[in-house]
Amino acid sequence: DVKINKSRLCVCVEHKIHIFDLINNMRQIYEIATYHNPCGIFSLCCDEDNCLIAYPDKSKKGAIGILDAYNLQKRVIFQAHDSLLQHIAFNADGNYLCSASIMGTLIRVFAIPSGTLLYVFRRGAYPALIYSIAFNPSSTLLVVSAKKKMNLPSINSAISQAHAKAKKKKKSGDMSHAATHETTAAAATATTRTPSIHVFDLNKYKYNESKKVSSSDSINQLNSRLNEYLPVSVKNQIEHPRSIITISLKSSSAVICGWLNDYSLVCATRNGYFYRYSINDNLRSYKLLSEHTLRDDDHDLHNQQRTKIYKQQSGKHAEEEEKEEKKTAATDTPPPSPPQPEQNVVNHENQNETDTKPGSANQEIDTEIQTIAQAETAIESAPTIPIPTATAAAVKSNLGIDDLFDLSDGEYDASNGNTPQ
């Protein structure tokens, strides 16, 4: 397995972990000897202040060693499980470490760097394959994705039951191809297991309350004393709390879980399915927000991921879409027209008409002279309107041909479409 953060690159092989420096050069700076580790189990913290590595220590089976990968110093070695380790994971700050043994029945959480045991949860009673372990950003919830292992006796019993059903159908005379296919399908489904997602609450008060058998303190004290005399297997079944939320998936392939925020859980399966859940730890409930498949439209895989799964866009694709939106907005909406002045409206309209119609300069001058003459005759024939002294003086002082033309149009508009008299 290979893990990386801002300063270190770690490569795990069966008996060693090689540490490379990413700040100065890409050379190997340290090497850790581990216990027999064929699956490459280790964890690297991504926090800048706690550049820690957790690995199976070579001293004893089930022991975990903590190394400061920046200063290359060992912090602590503690016994986590009695059997081999199957999965270990840090939280975001490097203050907690979660581990699961090869059995996958118990989930333990330790404080780092002291190595003291904080929580012990029971995932289930049967051995399981742990796919992923993840803390939420505030380290108040823990998610574990697992799948029950099928042991040999259970497989044999499932196959024998399927064959017994087939024999009964043969005796009854049902020898069709559909009946045999149904029998083989039943045997296959009996021997396959679907993965499940378990959410555990890391609130210390809720954890202690879940361990109590009764609301009476005397009964709880008696229960704790009786547990001391019980075998370890029976004791583990009783005293360790289970998950607050359990989600069963339809897919039978491996599933990896993570957190978008404290209460938004995302899951991705190996066969191309993506799920997003909303987690409510107070009500101990969950809600499926979205479900996506990535294997149907392989030709449109990039666009499908960008539009259906990830809402926030970044990079070149977002810039290209912004440019396209600006172009479409420019083509769809015409540019706003500048505001026209109130005066000289008729002059501008006449000027536009003369610009659009072809003709010589002499014809344009003749048409202007004719319009001015018509305006003067209309003013002379119009009845006199009393004007206040102040406005009359202003009109006499600033009266021109253009103003007379505007005045004639105003009288025409005021007469409601009738020609001036």
Side-chain angles (χ1 to χ4, degrees):
D1 195 4
V2 179
K3 296 184 186 297
I4 188 173
N5 61 9
K6 291 184 178 180
S7 59
R8 295 292 181 263
L9 171 68
C10 301
V11 180
C12 182
V13 292
E14 188 173 358
H15 293 282
K16 293 180 181 179
I17 297 177
H18 304 277
I19 303 176
F20 297 87
D21 186 12
L22 295 181
I23 299 176
N24 300 321
N25 48 39
M26 279 296 295
R27 295 181 180 178
Q28 180 178 341
I29 58 176
Y30 199 74
E31 185 178 284
I32 306 173
T34 64
Y35 200 82
H36 180 63
N37 189 14
C39 298
I41 303 301
F42 79 104
S43 180
L44 176 63
C45 184
C46 296
D47 189 68
E48 295 181 358
D49 298 330
N50 292 328
C51 185
L52 303 176
I53 298 178
Y55 59 94
D57 192 73
K58 66 176 183 179
S59 60
K60 190 177 179 182
K61 179 174 64 175
I64 295 178
I66 304 296
L67 174 75
D68 187 353
Y70 192 82
N71 299 318
L72 304 178
Q73 297 177 356
K74 287 189 177 181
R75 293 288 186 89
V76 67
I77 299 173
F78 57 91
Q79 188 68 29
H81 299 272
D82 296 331
S83 56
L84 292 174
L85 297 174
Q86 183 178 183
H87 205 288
I88 52 179
F90 278 108
N91 68 334
D93 301 329
N95 299 324
Y96 295 135
L97 178 70
C98 183
S99 66
S101 67
I102 197 69
M103 297 296 292
T105 54
L106 294 179
I107 308 296
R108 290 188 170 98
V109 180
F110 301 90
I112 301 300
S114 62
T116 57
L117 181 63
L118 297 178
Y119 306 96
V120 181
F121 299 102
R122 173 158 292 279
R123 185 214 53 81
Y126 296 98
L129 180 64
I130 306 297
Y131 291 126
S132 66
I133 296 176
F135 293 85
N136 67 340
S138 61
S139 299
T140 57
L141 295 175
L142 176 69
V143 61
V144 177
S145 61
K147 182 181 179 180
K148 290 182 181 179
K149 294 180 181 179
M150 289 295 295
N151 52 6
L152 188 61
S154 61
I155 294 174
N156 292 332
S157 62
I159 294 173
S160 62
Q161 289 177 4
H163 284 299
K165 290 181 180 179
K167 288 180 180 179
K168 288 182 180 179
K169 289 184 178 181
K170 286 181 180 180
K171 289 180 180 180
S172 62
D174 189 2
M175 299 292 293
S176 62
H177 177 72
T180 56
H181 180 72
E182 183 181 355
T183 305
T184 55
T189 54
T191 55
T192 57
R193 300 280 186 177
T194 58
S196 58
I197 300 170
H198 306 269
V199 180
F200 301 94
D201 198 340
L202 298 180
N203 190 330
K204 196 68 177 178
Y205 174 76
K206 294 181 181 179
Y207 175 78
N208 294 330
E209 289 293 325
S210 62
K211 293 176 66 177
K212 293 181 179 180
V213 179
S214 175
S215 59
S216 176
D217 295 335
S218 59
I219 296 176
N220 292 324
Q221 291 177 3
L222 179 62
N223 182 40
S224 61
R225 291 178 182 177
L226 291 175
N227 288 336
E228 294 177 359
Y229 298 98
L230 294 174
V232 177
S233 59
V234 180
K235 183 180 177 180
N236 291 337
Q237 291 283 348
I238 296 174
E239 66 174 353
H240 300 312
R242 294 178 179 264
S243 60
I244 60 172
I245 296 172
T246 302
I247 304 172
S248 298
L249 298 179
K250 301 176 183 178
S251 175
S252 60
S253 63
V255 57
I256 307 298
C257 297
W259 298 89
L260 290 178
N261 51 47
D262 285 341
Y263 301 102
S264 181
L265 177 66
V266 292
C267 309
T269 62
R270 186 171 294 175
N271 58 353
Y273 287 95
F274 183 88
Y275 304 94
R276 186 164 67 94
Y277 297 93
S278 175
I279 304 299
N280 191 338
D281 57 341
N282 294 323
L283 300 178
R284 296 190 174 189
S285 62
Y286 68 94
K287 181 181 179 181
L288 179 61
L289 299 179
S290 60
E291 180 180 2
H292 307 274
T293 176
L294 305 178
R295 64 177 186 176
D296 293 338
D297 300 327
D298 294 337
H299 64 281
D300 197 21
L301 183 61
H302 182 71
N303 294 329
Q304 186 178 7
Q305 287 181 346
R306 188 179 63 187
T307 55
K308 291 188 178 181
I309 296 177
Y310 305 104
K311 293 184 178 180
Q312 295 182 356
Q313 303 174 6
S314 60
K316 296 181 179 180
H317 299 288
E319 295 178 358
E320 291 176 359
E321 286 192 358
E322 288 180 0
K323 291 180 180 179
E324 290 179 359
E325 288 178 358
K326 290 180 180 179
K327 289 180 181 179
T328 54
T331 54
D332 293 341
T333 58
S337 59
Q340 297 181 355
E342 295 181 357
Q343 296 181 355
N344 300 330
V345 176
V346 180
N347 293 333
H348 287 294
E349 291 178 353
N350 294 330
Q351 185 177 359
N352 293 331
E353 291 177 359
T354 55
D355 291 338
T356 55
K357 295 180 181 180
S360 62
N362 295 326
Q363 292 179 354
E364 292 178 357
I365 294 171
D366 295 335
T367 53
E368 289 181 0
I369 293 171
Q370 291 178 2
T371 52
I372 293 170
Q374 291 177 1
E376 290 178 353
T377 54
I379 292 170
E380 291 177 355
S381 62
T384 58
I385 301 172
I387 302 173
T389 56
T391 58
V395 169
K396 288 181 180 179
S397 61
N398 298 323
L399 191 62
I401 297 174
D402 295 334
D403 295 330
L404 294 174
F405 190 80
D406 293 340
L407 183 60
S408 64
D409 285 346
E411 291 177 356
Y412 180 81
D413 293 336
S415 60
N416 295 325
N418 297 325
T419 56
Q421 297 178 358

